[in-house]
Amino acid sequence: WGSSSQLFERGACQSSGSVIAGDDGNTVISAHVNTFFSNLGNISEGDKITIKTNYGEFIYTVKEKITFDKSNNAYVSATKDNRLTLYTCKNDLFGNSDERIGVLCSLTEKKFFNTEEAETNE
């Protein structure tokens, strides 16, 4: 949770203002373009993205590729629909870019793990 430099060194980070995967709203995840999201620009509309958590598995379908300025919060704000937003900085050879690239995805399948069953099997 969060977006500090220290967290980005460890992996992709979920924005603290977003909802957990599978919940109604916008799940927003970002990462560095030169590490964990280096191939984000290669994702196409219709591709499937699976989020696996300790409470369930969620499959999203890419609906739209996006480009936006870092000061534009439209794509990373709360929504009422169940979506996943993945984004990163646009790769720029001359330093940091103010432009972001990403994808908007809609939830197409969700499977919550049965916690009672998991506790019984321990």
Side-chain angles (χ1 to χ4, degrees), residues 12-33:
C13 299
Q14 182 170 346
S15 296
S16 54
S18 69
V19 300
I20 62 171
D23 230 355
D24 290 338
N26 193 6
T27 302
V28 180
I29 300 175
S30 58
H32 282 311
V33 67

Side-chain angles (χ1 to χ4, degrees), residues 54-73:
N54 60 352
Y55 59 88
E57 185 172 301
F58 309 93
I59 300 174
Y60 294 84
T61 301
V62 176
K63 295 296 181 190
E64 180 183 353
K65 294 179 89 165
I66 56 174
T67 303
F68 60 100
D69 187 82
K70 75 175 184 179
S71 63
N72 179 351
N73 292 325

Side-chain angles (χ1 to χ4, degrees), residues 7 9 12 20 27 32-33 51 59-61 82 87 91 97 99-100 105-106 120:
L7 290 173
E9 293 301 321
I20 62 171
T27 302
H32 282 311
V33 67
I51 303 286
I59 300 174
Y60 294 84
T61 301
N82 198 321
Y87 77 95
N91 202 359
S97 173
E99 193 172 7
R100 305 293 185 252
C105 312
S106 59
T120 306

Side-chain angles (χ1 to χ4, degrees), residues 46-110:
D47 285 351
K48 304 287 187 195
I49 296 172
T50 302
I51 303 286
K52 295 180 180 183
T53 71
N54 60 352
Y55 59 88
E57 185 172 301
F58 309 93
I59 300 174
Y60 294 84
T61 301
V62 176
K63 295 296 181 190
E64 180 183 353
K65 294 179 89 165
I66 56 174
T67 303
F68 60 100
D69 187 82
K70 75 175 184 179
S71 63
N72 179 351
N73 292 325
Y75 292 112
V76 297
S77 297
T79 63
K80 293 184 184 200
D81 63 327
N82 198 321
R83 78 169 61 172
L84 171 67
T85 303
L86 304 177
Y87 77 95
T88 189
C89 295
K90 184 173 183 180
N91 202 359
D92 189 345
L93 297 174
F94 301 108
N96 293 334
S97 173
D98 288 343
E99 193 172 7
R100 305 293 185 252
I101 62 166
V103 292
L104 296 179
C105 312
S106 59
L107 183 67
T108 51
E109 189 177 330
K110 62 182 171 180

